[in-house]
Amino acid sequence: MTPFKVLALIVLAASPLAAQAGGGRLDAEIDRRAAQVESKVVAWRRDIHAHPELSNREVRTAQIVAEHLRALGLEVRTGVAHNGVVGVLRGGRPGPVVALRADMDALPVTEEVDVPFASKVRTQYNGQDVGVMHACGHDAHVAILMGVAEVLAGMRRDLPGTVKFIFQPAEEGVPSGEDGGAEMMIAEGALDNPKPGAIFGLHVFPYPAGELMYRPGAIMASADGLRIVVRGRQTHGAQPWSGIDPIVVTSQIVLGLQTIISRQVDITAAPAIVTIGAVHGGVRNNIIPDSVVMIGTIRAFDAAMRRDIWARVRRTAEGIAQSAGATAIVTIDSGPPVTYNDPALTERMAPTLRRVVGSDRVGIAERKTPAEDFSRYQEKIPGLFFFLGITPPGTDPASAAPNHSPRFFVDEAALPVGVRALSHLAVDYLTAR
């Protein structure tokens, strides 16, 4: 072969056309392998659904995941943040590192869906006897990522880089007095050795089955726990002037807190919520109690606004209490931050989502006020979190049972779409298409 022909082959191999040809080959291989693993994904999902485990109790689920990853020849680490599993797939060629994440825990919900694999599990949760159900779809997330691991493990020789599979416990929050979740996974090295350059995750949601929805920037809210203890002075209900009524003060604080969002912050910049969900105080109709406790939640889509709301909550509660001669002790438990899709990464990977399902089945999601501790990973590295529709044809998504409902239903026809979406995202990231 002449030097000119050698040079021509080198140029062709480096050209966009050659890259597209190679990419097309990998695309076809992903889709072929995803079709082969589809029945396994459905079976895994049904098995995990029938055997749900609450946060920090995902022992059986973690064992299933770890055994599967080991069988695929991955490097596997278990016991991360109690029950987390991290698998590392090293490709046949050097390249970047990308992470994929699925959450494993179920909820204290009694299932009302009529399927053969419905959960019959009951357990104790915070001292109560409860049913246990995958009412948020984490069973689907685990099964999908197990499928992705099998798809990509079969292609390891062609992968230019490393894929890290993160199976996380306790996304729904840990029991009282415990720790866990994404924050603990990170603290125990889930993003280390090797450190990914980006992370991808999905969540099933009542959009039409198989649709993919994403949003650059803030897509899910931060979530902070709020507790306010109002202390007055106990007295006879017939002689309120002899004490300080914390119930009246609490009522004024509840109303005052509502003005933070409606009158004090610029809601054209980003939505926010302050909700009081419970008020506890008093034991008898003719006794003004010594104290009242209220609990609630603060939601925001902007980090600066979040901190500003914290300050306004404290000022409002303490000021109203002081005006009545009472005191208010405000405790804010910082929860998951805003789930924020890195704009540059999102723009780069959005064509992948459109290629997987077609442009007409990909859209921009509205912001969601629930929170996701996937945001903890996004604080450390760029991330993209998106929604996979699971509402079956013939059902109006607007009337479909929402996540956390005892009637939450997953159309399993969407599962292979999730496998293909995460697989293509990982490979496209590694090949820098």
Side-chain angles (χ1 to χ4, degrees):
M1 183 178 293
T2 67
F4 177 80
K5 288 184 178 180
V6 172
L7 178 62
L9 287 175
I10 293 173
V11 171
L12 178 60
S15 70
L17 183 62
Q20 291 173 12
R25 179 178 61 80
L26 291 177
D27 288 345
E29 184 68 3
I30 289 172
D31 293 341
R32 183 182 72 82
R33 290 181 177 274
Q36 289 179 338
V37 80
E38 179 177 345
S39 61
K40 290 185 179 180
V41 172
V42 171
W44 289 325
R45 184 258 163 170
R46 293 183 178 185
D47 177 61
I48 295 168
H49 188 91
H51 301 89
E53 298 168 301
L54 294 178
S55 301
N56 279 354
R57 308 291 184 269
E58 311 91 339
V59 176
R60 180 182 184 274
T61 307
Q63 183 178 358
I64 291 171
V65 168
E67 289 177 355
H68 176 63
L69 298 184
R70 289 192 183 103
L72 296 174
L74 274 64
E75 303 167 20
V76 179
R77 182 183 169 201
T78 60
V80 186
H82 304 303
N83 297 316
V85 180
V86 178
V88 177
L89 173 64
R90 300 186 188 275
R93 294 182 285 138
V97 182
V98 66
L100 305 174
R101 176 269 204 170
D103 37 13
M104 301 189 293
D105 51 331
L107 287 161
V109 173
T110 301
E111 181 155 13
E112 297 179 8
V113 181
D114 185 17
V115 292
F117 49 91
S119 170
K120 303 296 191 297
V121 175
R122 299 196 68 83
T123 191
Q124 291 291 310
Y125 178 76
N126 286 346
Q128 299 182 57
D129 179 69
V130 296
V132 185
M133 177 191 175
H134 271 292
C136 204
H138 296 185
D139 52 335
H141 302 169
V142 174
I144 286 170
L145 195 56
M146 289 173 67
V148 174
E150 184 158 334
V151 167
L152 298 184
M155 302 169 57
R156 57 163 49 90
R157 186 173 60 181
D158 295 321
L159 294 181
T162 298
V163 183
K164 201 164 200 178
F165 297 90
I166 299 175
F167 291 85
Q168 178 204 309
E171 187 281 326
E172 297 290 357
V174 298
S176 178
E178 299 184 19
D179 52 11
E183 190 171 22
M184 190 174 181
M185 290 286 289
I186 294 167
E188 296 191 0
L191 294 181
D192 301 329
N193 302 319
K195 181 177 181 178
I199 186 168
F200 302 114
L202 61 75
H203 204 300
V204 294
F205 197 81
Y207 290 116
E211 288 192 3
L212 301 176
M213 303 291 285
Y214 72 98
R215 185 182 188 89
I219 187 171
M220 299 184 75
S222 58
D224 304 308
L226 172 62
R227 176 184 171 90
I228 303 175
V229 180
V230 178
R231 298 195 183 281
R233 188 168 67 246
Q234 186 165 319
T235 187
H236 198 296
Q239 296 177 306
W241 57 84
S242 299
I244 299 173
D245 191 340
I247 292 179
V248 172
V249 174
T250 296
S251 301
Q252 293 172 329
I253 291 174
V254 171
L255 293 176
L257 293 178
Q258 305 314 302
T259 68
I260 293 174
I261 305 303
S262 67
R263 290 295 182 270
Q264 299 180 41
V265 299
D266 182 1
I267 60 171
T268 66
I273 295 170
V274 177
T275 291
I276 297 299
V279 177
H280 302 283
V283 295
R284 185 180 167 97
N285 71 320
N286 65 345
I287 300 176
I288 291 174
D290 204 53
S291 64
V292 173
V293 177
M294 66 184 97
I295 56 175
T297 184
I298 301 171
R299 306 284 167 134
F301 288 95
D302 177 84
M305 183 181 289
R306 180 191 190 194
R307 293 189 296 271
D308 181 53
I309 291 172
W310 291 355
R312 292 177 186 274
V313 166
R314 293 184 187 279
R315 185 183 68 193
T316 299
E318 292 170 356
I320 290 174
Q322 184 181 23
S323 71
T327 61
I329 302 172
V330 179
T331 303
I332 297 174
D333 294 324
S334 177
V338 178
T339 303
Y340 185 86
N341 287 333
D342 180 86
L345 179 67
T346 303
E347 181 180 7
R348 172 182 164 187
M349 305 312 302
T352 299
L353 300 179
R354 290 191 287 269
R355 194 176 73 248
V356 168
V357 296
S359 297
D360 60 331
R361 294 182 62 76
V362 177
I364 302 297
E366 297 178 350
R367 295 186 180 106
K368 308 297 181 188
T369 47
E372 237 292 347
D373 75 355
F374 185 84
S375 56
R376 299 287 189 189
Y377 304 106
Q378 293 174 312
E379 286 187 313
K380 304 298 182 182
I381 57 177
L384 171 58
F385 193 73
F386 61 99
F387 297 110
L388 169 64
I390 43 76
T391 301
T395 300
D396 180 5
S399 63
N403 300 68
H404 291 214
S405 165
R407 295 172 293 282
F408 182 71
F409 179 81
V410 172
D411 183 349
E412 293 174 336
L415 300 182
V417 177
V419 173
R420 293 179 58 239
L422 287 178
S423 298
H424 281 285
L425 283 170
V427 170
D428 284 5
Y429 180 84
L430 295 180
T431 56
R433 281 192 284 156

